[in-house]
Each structure stands twice: as structure tokens, then as C-alpha cells.
């Protein structure tokens, strides 16, 4: 029993530290489904709120609309590159405006979720110069078994390094949920601007993907890592959604 309490204390301390590491960047996300027949009203109210409260790099937000799956039509709003000090800023006026002018058009809201960006699974994205958000996102959510985190993260890291070796051009970011959901939930996001260009293996290479993977990490490693990765996921543990940018609800792109 003593060992159990020590283990729980260590987990709690690690989670609290993860949310307060001043060198990490954190991302916040919210999901909203507009009331039936109120989509235009919702977008107009959010656009006005953006002009008032989210019109600078420090307060920026971007919005995507889910276009596939059971959440189709839902909006996902995201704040990027936040640090612990940012959570101490008083934003009550912004929240009050939302409550009075936007929430009346919302049928369903997820509440805030906070995410820690994983550096070694980031590809073709520079935090110092993030650029314009991609027109489309392919967002895959993974629910990982508590004892499978190491296998999961190893495979994603090695996939990232193999994509880099093969000259993959689109962006990729991975996040771990640190508040608002299970801390065994990870999200991998890949951005692209044209469906025609969204390809992993169309470019000719001397080796196929598995051969390049094994060349980097050892013969037979890909199959072993893939097997361990599959075993690391819960039975419901993988879901992919395609999302499209809403420029009018994105800082710097609003009309």
C-alpha cells in the first residue's frame, strides 16, 4: 500500500511539473457545435470577439471546422505557444463577452483542453516562425494504455525521423493532454494545403519506407516497433478527423 501511495504521488508531481515547465509551450483547444440554424450567427459573433480580443500575436487564435466523422460540422478553436505565465493573465472580460454574445448560439461545448507539444515528434514547423496555419489538418487522436507510453512514443519519434529522411514536406506536430482529459491521450496533427499534394510515398526513393526506417534504427526494427505500437493502444484508441481552416475566425486572416 505504501508503494502505491508513493507511485501516485510521483505521477501527480510529474503531471503538475509538466504543466508548469517554463521552457515548454502549451496549446489550448475548445470544441463548439453551433445550434441548428445558427451557424452564421455563431460565426459572426465569434468573428466580432476575435476583432476585439484576439487581434495580436500574443492573443492569437485559429479555428478549424471538422469535415469528416461523427464530429463533422464542429469547430475547433486553438491557442498556440502559451507558457505558464500566460495562464496568470486576467482574461475575464474576454470570457464575459463570450458568455453574453456567443454562447447563446452554441449547442454543445467541450470545455478547455490543455496540451503539451512534444518536441521530438515535430516536423517542418518552427516555433520561432510558425507561419500561416495549414488549410487542412489530418488530426489523429490516440488513447494509449498506461504501460504502453514508451512503445507509442518511440514509434512516433522514429516515424518522424524517417519522414524527415525521406524529405516529407508537410508539417507534423504531436501533443499530450495535460489537463481537461486523460494524460494518456495524444494527438498527432499533420497539415497540408492541397489534397493533391498530401502524399507520403508518391515521390520516388531508392528504398521503401520500412527499409529507410530499418536503415536508421536497425534491421527488423520497423515490424517490431509497429507491433509494440499497435499493442500500446486501447481497443478504441485511434481516430482520425480531417479539418478545414476557417480564415474569418483565425487571427491575421479575418476579413
Amino acid at each position: 500500500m505504501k508503494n502505491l501511495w508513493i507511485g501516485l504521488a510521483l505521477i501527480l508531481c510529474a503531471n503538475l511539473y509538466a504543466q508548469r515547465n517554463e521552457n515548454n509551450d502549451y496549446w489550448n483547444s475548445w470544441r463548439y457545435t453551433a445550434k441548428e440554424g445558427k451557424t452564421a450567427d455563431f460565426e459572426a459573433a465569434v468573428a466580432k470577439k476575435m476583432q476585439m480580443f484576439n487581434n495580436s500575436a500574443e492573443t492569437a487564435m485559429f479555428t478549424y471546422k471538422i469535415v469528416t466523422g461523427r464530429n463533422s460540422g464542429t469547430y475547433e478553436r486553438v491557442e498556440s505557444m502559451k507558457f505558464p505565465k500566460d495562464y496568470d493573465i486576467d482574461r475575464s472580460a474576454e470570457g464575459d463577452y463570450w458568455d453574453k454574445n456567443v454562447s447563446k448560439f452554441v449547442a454543445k461545448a467541450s470545455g478547455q483542453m490543455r496540451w503539451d507539444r512534444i518536441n521530438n515528434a515535430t516536423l517542418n514547423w518552427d516555433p520561432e516562425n510558425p507561419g500561416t496555419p495549414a488549410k487542412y489538418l489530418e488530426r489523429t487522436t490516440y488513447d494509449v494504455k498506461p504501460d504502453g507510453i514508451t512503445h507509442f512514443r518511440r514509434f512516433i519519434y522514429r516515424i518522424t525521423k524517417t519522414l524527415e529522411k525521406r524529405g516529407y514536406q508537410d508539417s507534423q506536430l504531436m501533443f499530450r493532454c495535460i489537463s481537461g482529459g486523460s494524460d494518456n491521450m495524444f494527438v498527432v496533427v499533420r497539415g497540408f494545403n492541397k489534397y493533391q499534394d498530401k502524399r507520403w510515398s508518391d515521390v520516388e526513393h531508392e528504398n521503401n519506407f520500412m527499409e529507410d526506417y530499418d536503415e536508421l534504427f536497425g534491421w527488423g526494427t520497423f515490424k517490431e516497433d509497429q507491433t509494440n505500437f499497435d499493442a500500446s493502444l486501447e481497443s478504441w484508441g485511434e481516430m482520425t478527423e480531417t479539418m478545414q481552416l476557417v480564415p474569418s475566425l483565425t487571427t491575421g486572416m479575418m476579413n
Side-chain angles (χ1 to χ4, degrees), residues 19-249:
Q19 296 184 53
R20 296 178 182 175
N21 187 336
E22 63 181 13
N23 297 316
N24 287 21
D25 57 274
Y26 303 99
W27 298 47
N28 307 316
S29 69
W30 298 259
R31 286 193 166 190
Y32 301 100
T33 304
K35 290 181 178 178
E36 187 174 354
K38 297 296 182 180
T39 298
D41 294 319
F42 171 81
E43 290 196 5
V46 174
K48 187 172 181 179
K49 182 257 185 187
M50 296 281 292
Q51 292 166 0
M52 296 175 63
F53 295 100
N54 309 111
N55 52 20
S56 67
E58 293 73 25
T59 60
M61 298 189 72
F62 51 90
T63 303
Y64 282 85
K65 194 170 188 177
I66 302 169
V67 296
T68 62
R70 63 174 183 253
N71 296 313
S72 182
T74 294
Y75 297 83
E76 178 153 333
R77 289 174 50 73
V78 179
E79 290 180 323
S80 64
M81 298 294 292
K82 297 301 176 186
F83 297 90
K85 61 182 178 61
D86 293 314
Y87 293 98
D88 293 323
I89 297 172
D90 182 2
R91 300 179 64 179
S92 56
E94 185 177 353
D96 289 344
Y97 182 88
W98 182 280
D99 290 341
K100 294 176 182 177
N101 299 280
V102 184
S103 61
K104 60 187 175 183
F105 302 121
V106 175
K108 182 179 178 181
S110 69
Q112 182 183 161
M113 298 185 72
R114 295 179 182 174
W115 306 86
D116 183 10
R117 183 174 63 85
I118 309 299
N119 282 313
N120 66 10
T122 297
L123 181 65
N124 298 326
W125 186 82
D126 181 2
E128 299 296 325
N129 184 29
T132 303
K135 184 175 181 180
Y136 303 103
L137 296 181
E138 190 175 77
R139 182 189 192 278
T140 303
T141 303
Y142 298 96
D143 289 291
V144 183
K145 297 174 183 175
D147 61 353
I149 300 294
T150 298
H151 289 308
F152 171 82
R153 291 191 60 171
R154 178 188 295 120
F155 190 58
I156 295 294
Y157 164 72
R158 289 178 171 181
I159 287 287
T160 302
K161 299 305 291 185
T162 306
L163 289 172
E164 183 177 36
K165 173 182 173 64
R166 292 172 67 83
Y168 185 72
Q169 296 298 307
D170 293 332
S171 61
Q172 173 187 284
L173 295 93
M174 183 168 84
F175 305 90
R176 184 175 189 171
C177 182
I178 59 168
S179 187
S182 167
D183 62 0
N184 294 329
M185 181 190 300
F186 293 79
V187 166
V188 175
V189 179
R190 296 188 175 96
F192 59 101
N193 290 314
K194 292 182 179 179
Y195 279 93
Q196 181 177 335
D197 295 338
K198 191 180 77 67
R199 55 184 184 268
W200 282 48
S201 57
D202 291 350
V203 179
E204 291 187 10
H205 292 275
E206 183 178 349
N207 298 329
N208 62 36
F209 189 91
M210 184 172 68
E211 289 170 339
D212 278 339
Y213 188 107
D214 285 352
E215 185 176 288
L216 285 172
F217 303 108
W219 184 86
T221 306
F222 178 84
K223 289 186 176 180
E224 178 182 351
D225 287 350
Q226 186 179 47
T227 298
N228 290 333
F229 171 83
D230 291 341
S232 76
L233 301 180
E234 301 284 5
S235 59
W236 65 89
E238 184 174 349
M239 182 182 73
T240 298
E241 298 168 311
T242 301
M243 311 166 76
Q244 183 169 343
L245 184 69
V246 184
S248 63
L249 305 183

Side-chain angles (χ1 to χ4, degrees), residues 2-19:
K2 180 180 179 181
N3 289 337
L4 173 62
W5 285 114
I6 291 174
L8 290 173
L10 289 173
I11 291 171
L12 176 61
C13 290
N15 193 45
L16 289 173
Y17 177 76
Q19 296 184 53

